[in-house]
Amino acid sequence: MVKNSLGRLVPEVFAGKTYTPYKDPWSLQPHCKRGTRDIKRIDHNAKKLVGNLRDGIIASGLKDGMTISTHHALRNGDHLLNQLVKEIDALGIRDIKIASSSVHAIHSEIIPYIRKGVITGLECGVNGMIGELISKGELDCPVVVRSHGGRARSLITGEVLVDVAFLAAPYCDEYGNFNGFYGPSACGSLGYAIPDSIHARKVVAVTDNLVPYPAVPVGIPQSVVDFVVTVKSLGDPKKIVSTSTRITTDPIGLQTAKYAAMVIEASGLMKDGFSFQTGTGGISLAVADHVRNMMRKGKIKGSFGCGGITGYFVDMLQEGLFRALFDVQCFDLKAVESIGRNQNHQEMSASMYASPFNAGAVVNRLDCVILSATEVDVDFNVNVNTESTGYLLHNTGGHSDCAAGAKLSIIVAPAIRGRLPIIRDRVTTVTTPGETIGVIVTERGIAVNDKFPELKEELIKRRAPVKDIRQLRDEIYAITGAPRPLEFEDKVVGLVEYRDGSIIDAIRQVKK
Amino acid sequence: MVKNSLGRLVPEVFAGKTYTPYKDPWSLQPHCKRGTRDIKRIDHNAKKLVGNLRDGIIASGLKDGMTISTHHALRNGDHLLNQLVKEIDALGIRDIKIASSSVHAIHSEIIPYIRKGVITGLECGVNGMIGELISKGELDCPVVVRSHGGRARSLITGEVLVDVAFLAAPYCDEYGNFNGFYGPSACGSLGYAIPDSIHARKVVAVTDNLVPYPAVPVGIPQSVVDFVVTVKSLGDPKKIVSTSTRITTDPIGLQTAKYAAMVIEASGLMKDGFSFQTGTGGISLAVADHVRNMMRKGKIKGSFGCGGITGYFVDMLQEGLFRALFDVQCFDLKAVESIGRNQNHQEMSASMYASPFNAGAVVNRLDCVILSATEVDVDFNVNVNTESTGYLLHNTGGHSDCAAGAKLSIIVAPAIRGRLPIIRDRVTTVTTPGETIGVIVTERGIAVNDKFPELKEELIKRRAPVKDIRQLRDEIYAITGAPRPLEFEDKVVGLVEYRDGSIIDAIRQVKK
């Protein structure tokens, strides 16, 4: 165990692998070559369509101890990972690691297979029950949480070796060309699957919608796909794009959004060429609505919106407020419909989106990003992975990537959530270092990082409720009381990797 | 020197590198990993726009002995390679190898720089004067000719290491996203540049049309582009897409095309799902015209057209005769206009098009390809590289790739060209092995490879002028006389690599 630069005690070895402690967001340099894989040659008459999922597993050569991946564009509607794990079990294969781009609540079905030893590790973040059980020590399955950019990096550097990627392919031909734009399980962008298609040792396209050759436009090409298999259904379309996409009506949320809009206005970033990202969720969309109105009013011609894309951003594109959208994942059906039809709505890989180790990611070009938090500390460090119960319940997403890349990262959150203070002395887990966070906005006030003295001054001039972050914490504590420190066992059950691969925090088993 | 399986005497070592003699089109298996390059990290605030071409060369770190590349989508209108070589010379850099996707007549301007030792090798085929001078022994510059698929393979395997790729970028932003669809030097598909963008150690985008960020749709992404430089002009738009695109009016050509159409009809391939490639040139287009009429008449719904794409194929796409076009290179302005606007007109990389060493190239899916020849021998071996003068005058293009991939490869050529017989005992140079050629069509008759007995029978049934290839040769010789054997020096000045990297023939200095 060593203390990293944020004072977090992190292991140097975890589940048999060696890790570097986090130092800062910028200085870690890669000293490696891009990951490689065997060059293959196929018979020019070879068929790739091998049957059902089980046939695909067999054809791929999956064996005990290997690592598999899936992408999470189908999110909580995904049926593939559960089917896959069941088939792997049926084939008697054991000790498999999952290195998917994310695991969702629906994948709780794999819990029995973790207990049974079919799945023995998660090289990816988890949302929901699996993380909770791991945190409680009720499920023995080491987990390494990565940001979207960090995951792409880990595949590209070869730190995570995926033996077989099983990629949900909503519109796919028998020779392996596919996209996510059409079909009963259309999910839009396949941005998270692209690194797997390039770096996994074997690639199996799994489809419920086999179309005549060629499936165009080609998202992932035949030249990287080894096998094609068919399943009855990849997922539940109603849940594939199921994120809340309505602007909040809650007065606290609306107040927070209004303050966030004041921050953007005061930042001076709102001018031609403005680029912007915001997630889903009611407050974020309320901020987007303010941004839209500011852009209209100021006749601002923005450059791009990026990240997971909602219909709200599609409207802004169509209205001419942005020239382009960079889409790593579609958050709703409107986004899915747009990406298949509008050339300015651009699919991008997770690497292009957010990897710190390439010739320049899209997040580097972001002016402003709106991010959420489960907790923030007085050094502006942000937690999105665990909740104040100590349970690992959320994946990092693009949080730390966007915070590092954007000129201004704004955290929006209610001051109090479930009777617990959002700002506290110490976050349970550090996901994103405070050094990369500009402003914390709550309905009770705005805390500006000292790195932005001019923005702070401008906000004060505009009579915004700027408060020192400690003052804001105290005001909130006055209502909620100081949070009781959680008690943890020494046992580390998971790591939170920073985007560059260093360990920013460890997740420990929660004391009963 | 060893004799390969076609009886061609080829060196095992050439210009310091080791090569394998050709054996057959199918059996050579890769035993290597995909080429790699250093993982880089850039400062998230870094600028990539570094100035002019010379600044770009300096920024790239180009040094004596290194290898550069350009793509040839601008073809005989390309101004970049000439400018580049002049700037390299001005910087005092020497001993540079060129590994471009092709070198054209316009690049004769680099001849003085070859003499001067600035350029000391060509890892690519050449069209025109440079090849002629090399063949005559008047220019000392070892050349290795590769097919389009073979070139992609050589970059991907790392057999050819490109130190710096200078990629003409007709529509480019300051962070390196670019496409070829728009701008004064629009060339359409950038299919040949894609392997370079992934495998060169440094990538410099060179543009005469810097557009606001982001340049969408993104063909080659910012995440692989190290620097962006501007030049006054990338090329002469009139010559960028300058191939002959009119159907022949020559009666010999029309007769040949008619016979080729008979072969396609007799082959049984003309049914729903039909896929087709033909090059430019009057006879090829005349065949395409027959194909179009057959498809209309038979209400055939084809799957795809591929290769270098002409307006003729664009019309067929728009007419619904093909569902998609796979485009590695646009041959005319109509194709350029279409690829930027029609999602079913798909840009593809040279690797996806034609590499023998991936999970399956598009050529593998071709039903029928129409190819040209400068010479054919009685074993159906085809020469497109040298002419009957012995001079290296033409690049391979996709010739041997398509021949190997397609179900049926048809060579169309006039029986006599410049008083010389097209069919002869022995071709001057083997580009494409006869084993991968189905039929030779001339205005004087059709020769069917013994590998297609049913097709031969069907053609005879249809009263097509089927002749044994030796008979056809004799008939032509009766008019032209047997060609006088060329005299060569022992000195090998170039190699013709087969698509799998084995050496199918050597090019020797022609005796004065």
Side-chain angles (χ1 to χ4, degrees):
Chain A
M1 291 285 168
V2 285
K3 266 195 180 167
N4 69 20
S5 69
L6 301 175
R8 302 278 161 161
L9 205 61
V10 297
E12 289 169 294
V13 176
F14 180 71
K17 282 195 187 178
T18 308
Y19 295 89
T20 310
Y22 169 83
K23 195 172 150 220
D24 64 73
W26 322 115
S27 68
L28 197 155
Q29 291 297 325
H31 296 288
C32 60
K33 299 233 167 225
R34 183 174 58 198
T36 182
R37 62 181 178 193
D38 287 340
I39 297 267
K40 54 196 91 176
R41 174 177 202 168
I42 66 162
D43 183 282
H44 69 295
N45 292 316
K47 304 269 179 274
K48 298 191 191 178
L49 192 63
V50 292
N52 62 23
L53 191 53
R54 190 176 297 190
D55 300 318
I57 297 168
I58 295 166
S60 77
L62 189 74
K63 284 185 184 60
D64 289 4
M66 285 188 170
T67 299
I68 61 167
S69 73
T70 58
H71 68 74
H72 76 282
L74 302 164
R75 292 214 297 291
N76 212 35
D78 174 59
H79 290 175
L80 175 56
L81 183 57
N82 290 340
Q83 290 179 64
L84 187 59
V85 170
K86 281 174 200 166
E87 292 293 348
I88 288 171
D89 176 45
L91 287 166
I93 302 170
R94 294 294 177 268
D95 188 19
I96 293 297
K97 274 72 174 173
I98 294 176
S100 297
S101 54
S102 191
V103 168
H104 287 253
I106 193 171
H107 302 121
S108 301
E109 280 190 32
I110 71 173
I111 290 171
Y113 302 92
I114 297 177
R115 297 199 197 284
K116 200 174 169 180
V118 179
I119 304 301
T120 54
L122 294 166
E123 288 279 0
C124 60
V126 284
N127 294 292
M129 178 70 86
I130 295 175
E132 183 173 334
L133 292 178
I134 290 172
S135 297
K136 285 176 172 170
E138 292 175 18
L139 207 55
D140 191 21
C141 189
V143 52
V144 180
V145 180
R146 293 184 174 86
S147 70
H148 290 328
R151 176 181 188 270
R153 184 215 81 246
S154 75
L155 264 67
I156 294 169
T157 58
E159 290 161 80
V160 173
L161 283 171
V162 174
D163 292 291
V164 190
F166 294 89
L167 301 179
Y171 187 84
C172 183
D173 67 43
E174 61 172 14
Y175 212 56
N177 296 295
F178 65 98
N179 68 48
F181 304 160
Y182 319 115
S185 304
C187 56
S189 175
L190 294 175
Y192 298 125
I194 295 172
D196 304 61
S197 76
I198 298 168
H199 292 282
R201 287 161 175 180
K202 293 277 177 188
V203 176
V204 180
V206 185
T207 192
D208 56 3
N209 182 34
L210 200 65
V211 300
Y213 184 92
V216 282
V218 175
I220 290 182
Q222 60 183 53
S223 47
V224 299
V225 175
D226 298 292
F227 303 106
V228 179
V229 302
T230 55
V231 292
K232 211 177 143 208
S233 169
L234 284 173
D236 178 351
K238 287 194 296 292
K239 291 183 187 155
I240 285 170
V241 282
S242 57
T243 327
S244 130
T245 53
R246 240 172 279 166
I247 294 171
T248 185
T249 51
D250 166 47
I252 289 176
L254 289 173
Q255 185 62 268
T256 308
K258 202 175 140 193
Y259 288 156
M262 285 183 80
V263 173
I264 296 171
E265 202 156 27
S267 71
L269 294 168
M270 179 54 75
K271 56 189 179 196
D272 280 348
F274 180 66
S275 56
F276 185 52
Q277 174 171 340
T278 177
T280 55
I283 304 183
S284 291
L285 285 176
V287 181
D289 196 53
H290 281 292
V291 163
R292 186 180 193 172
N293 287 325
M294 277 189 261
M295 292 179 82
R296 281 174 176 163
K297 212 169 130 188
K299 299 196 190 324
I300 307 290
K301 176 87 181 168
S303 57
F304 69 94
C306 84
I309 295 295
T310 58
Y312 209 86
F313 273 68
V314 171
D315 287 340
M316 291 175 79
L317 176 71
Q318 287 173 353
E319 197 180 327
L321 297 175
F322 293 122
R323 268 210 326 285
L325 299 180
F326 281 122
D327 191 339
V328 71
Q329 170 180 21
C330 292
F331 276 140
D332 59 28
L333 280 177
K334 195 164 185 174
V336 173
E337 276 161 29
S338 165
I339 197 173
R341 284 150 192 87
N342 183 339
Q343 282 200 328
N344 295 323
H345 185 160
Q346 173 82 45
E347 186 174 43
M348 70 174 164
S349 74
S351 169
M352 180 181 176
Y353 172 39
S355 171
F357 288 2
N358 62 26
V362 169
V363 293
N364 295 356
R365 303 288 303 193
L366 263 178
D367 284 333
C368 179
V369 63
I370 305 296
L371 296 167
S372 62
T374 60
E375 300 171 340
V376 181
D377 73 19
V378 291
D379 298 318
F380 290 80
N381 296 311
V382 179
N383 175 17
V384 297
N385 297 125
T386 57
E387 298 216 345
S388 300
T389 53
Y391 300 155
L392 171 63
L393 288 173
H394 308 284
N395 210 342
T396 300
H399 202 283
S400 54
D401 301 312
C402 292
K407 289 200 184 75
L408 179 63
S409 320
I410 301 173
I411 301 291
V412 292
I416 300 165
R417 193 189 271 134
R419 279 184 263 179
L420 289 166
I422 205 87
I423 301 176
R424 42 175 64 211
D425 296 322
R426 195 169 187 279
V427 287
T428 307
T429 306
V430 183
T431 306
T432 297
E435 199 178 334
T436 61
I437 299 295
V439 182
I440 314 291
V441 179
T442 73
E443 79 283 7
R444 293 183 173 270
I446 300 169
V448 183
N449 192 321
D450 286 344
K451 290 179 64 184
F452 293 84
E454 286 168 20
L455 175 58
K456 189 171 181 177
E457 205 176 308
E458 182 64 31
L459 280 166
I460 291 168
K461 205 186 288 172
R462 292 171 180 232
R463 297 172 193 281
V466 175
K467 293 174 182 169
D468 182 83
I469 194 162
R470 286 176 176 78
Q471 181 196 344
L472 199 51
R473 171 203 59 192
D474 292 342
E475 284 183 26
I476 301 170
Y477 275 16
I479 302 161
T480 61
R484 226 178 13 191
L486 288 170
E487 285 189 76
F488 290 99
E489 307 283 353
D490 286 339
K491 188 183 175 189
V492 171
V493 295
L495 297 185
V496 181
E497 236 191 49
Y498 189 57
R499 59 199 301 254
D500 61 8
S502 64
I503 301 307
I504 196 160
D505 213 339
I507 295 163
R508 289 183 169 74
Q509 190 175 315
V510 178
K511 256 197 186 145
K512 289 212 175 124
Chain B
M1 290 286 168
V2 285
K3 266 198 181 166
N4 68 20
S5 69
L6 301 175
R8 301 279 161 162
L9 204 60
V10 298
E12 288 170 295
V13 176
F14 180 71
K17 283 194 187 179
T18 308
Y19 294 89
T20 310
Y22 169 85
K23 195 172 151 222
D24 65 72
W26 321 114
S27 68
L28 198 154
Q29 290 297 323
H31 296 288
C32 61
K33 300 232 166 225
R34 182 173 60 198
T36 182
R37 63 182 178 193
D38 287 340
I39 297 269
K40 53 196 90 175
R41 173 177 202 168
I42 67 160
D43 183 284
H44 69 296
N45 292 314
K47 305 269 179 278
K48 296 191 194 175
L49 192 64
V50 293
N52 62 23
L53 191 52
R54 188 175 300 190
D55 300 319
I57 297 168
I58 295 167
S60 76
L62 189 75
K63 285 186 186 56
D64 290 3
M66 284 188 169
T67 299
I68 60 167
S69 73
T70 59
H71 68 75
H72 77 282
L74 302 165
R75 291 214 299 289
N76 213 34
D78 174 58
H79 290 176
L80 176 55
L81 183 58
N82 291 340
Q83 291 179 64
L84 188 59
V85 170
K86 282 175 199 166
E87 293 293 349
I88 288 171
D89 176 45
L91 286 166
I93 302 169
R94 295 292 177 272
D95 188 20
I96 293 297
K97 275 62 172 184
I98 294 176
S100 296
S101 53
S102 190
V103 168
H104 287 253
I106 192 172
H107 301 121
S108 301
E109 279 189 34
I110 70 174
I111 290 171
Y113 302 92
I114 297 176
R115 297 201 197 282
K116 201 175 168 179
V118 179
I119 304 302
T120 54
L122 293 166
E123 288 279 359
C124 59
V126 286
N127 295 292
M129 177 72 82
I130 296 174
E132 183 173 334
L133 292 178
I134 290 171
S135 297
K136 286 176 171 169
E138 293 174 18
L139 207 53
D140 190 21
C141 189
V143 52
V144 180
V145 179
R146 293 183 174 88
S147 70
H148 291 326
R151 176 181 187 269
R153 183 215 83 244
S154 75
L155 264 66
I156 292 169
T157 58
E159 288 161 80
V160 173
L161 283 170
V162 175
D163 292 291
V164 191
F166 294 89
L167 302 179
Y171 186 84
C172 183
D173 68 42
E174 61 171 16
Y175 213 56
N177 296 296
F178 65 97
N179 68 50
F181 304 158
Y182 320 115
S185 305
C187 57
S189 175
L190 293 175
Y192 298 124
I194 295 172
D196 304 62
S197 77
I198 297 168
H199 292 282
R201 286 161 175 181
K202 293 277 177 188
V203 176
V204 181
V206 185
T207 191
D208 56 2
N209 182 34
L210 200 65
V211 300
Y213 184 92
V216 284
V218 175
I220 290 185
Q222 59 181 54
S223 47
V224 298
V225 175
D226 297 293
F227 303 107
V228 179
V229 301
T230 55
V231 292
K232 212 178 142 206
S233 169
L234 284 174
D236 179 350
K238 287 193 295 290
K239 292 182 188 156
I240 285 171
V241 282
S242 57
T243 328
S244 130
T245 53
R246 239 171 282 165
I247 295 171
T248 186
T249 51
D250 166 49
I252 289 177
L254 288 172
Q255 186 62 272
T256 308
K258 202 176 141 192
Y259 288 156
M262 285 182 82
V263 174
I264 295 172
E265 203 156 28
S267 72
L269 294 168
M270 180 54 74
K271 56 189 178 194
D272 281 346
F274 181 66
S275 57
F276 186 52
Q277 174 170 339
T278 174
T280 55
I283 303 183
S284 290
L285 285 176
V287 181
D289 197 53
H290 281 291
V291 164
R292 186 181 193 171
N293 288 326
M294 277 189 259
M295 291 180 82
R296 279 175 178 161
K297 211 169 132 188
K299 297 198 192 323
I300 306 289
K301 176 88 182 169
S303 58
F304 70 93
C306 84
I309 294 295
T310 58
Y312 208 87
F313 273 68
V314 171
D315 288 340
M316 291 176 79
L317 176 71
Q318 287 173 353
E319 198 180 326
L321 297 175
F322 293 123
R323 268 209 327 285
L325 299 180
F326 281 121
D327 189 340
V328 71
Q329 170 180 23
C330 292
F331 276 140
D332 58 28
L333 280 176
K334 195 165 186 175
V336 173
E337 275 160 28
S338 165
I339 196 173
R341 284 150 193 85
N342 185 339
Q343 282 200 327
N344 296 324
H345 185 159
Q346 174 83 44
E347 186 173 41
M348 70 174 163
S349 74
S351 168
M352 180 181 175
Y353 171 40
S355 172
F357 287 4
N358 61 27
V362 168
V363 294
N364 295 355
R365 303 288 303 192
L366 264 177
D367 284 332
C368 178
V369 63
I370 305 295
L371 296 167
S372 62
T374 60
E375 299 170 341
V376 181
D377 73 20
V378 291
D379 297 317
F380 290 80
N381 296 312
V382 180
N383 175 18
V384 297
N385 297 125
T386 57
E387 298 217 346
S388 299
T389 53
Y391 300 154
L392 172 62
L393 288 173
H394 308 284
N395 210 342
T396 300
H399 202 283
S400 53
D401 300 313
C402 292
K407 289 200 184 78
L408 179 63
S409 319
I410 301 173
I411 302 290
V412 292
I416 300 166
R417 193 188 271 133
R419 279 184 264 180
L420 290 166
I422 205 84
I423 301 175
R424 42 175 64 213
D425 295 323
R426 196 171 187 276
V427 288
T428 307
T429 306
V430 183
T431 306
T432 297
E435 198 177 334
T436 62
I437 298 293
V439 182
I440 315 289
V441 179
T442 73
E443 79 282 5
R444 293 185 173 268
I446 300 169
V448 182
N449 193 321
D450 285 343
K451 289 179 65 184
F452 293 84
E454 288 169 20
L455 174 58
K456 190 171 181 178
E457 203 176 309
E458 181 64 30
L459 280 165
I460 291 167
K461 204 185 292 172
R462 291 170 183 237
R463 298 172 192 280
V466 174
K467 294 175 183 168
D468 183 83
I469 194 160
R470 287 176 176 78
Q471 179 195 347
L472 199 51
R473 172 204 58 193
D474 292 342
E475 285 184 24
I476 300 170
Y477 275 15
I479 302 162
T480 62
R484 226 184 5 198
L486 288 170
E487 287 189 75
F488 291 97
E489 308 283 352
D490 285 339
K491 188 183 173 189
V492 172
V493 296
L495 297 185
V496 180
E497 237 192 49
Y498 189 58
R499 59 199 299 255
D500 62 8
S502 65
I503 302 305
I504 195 157
D505 213 341
I507 295 163
R508 288 183 171 73
Q509 190 174 316
V510 178
K511 257 198 186 143
K512 286 208 179 130

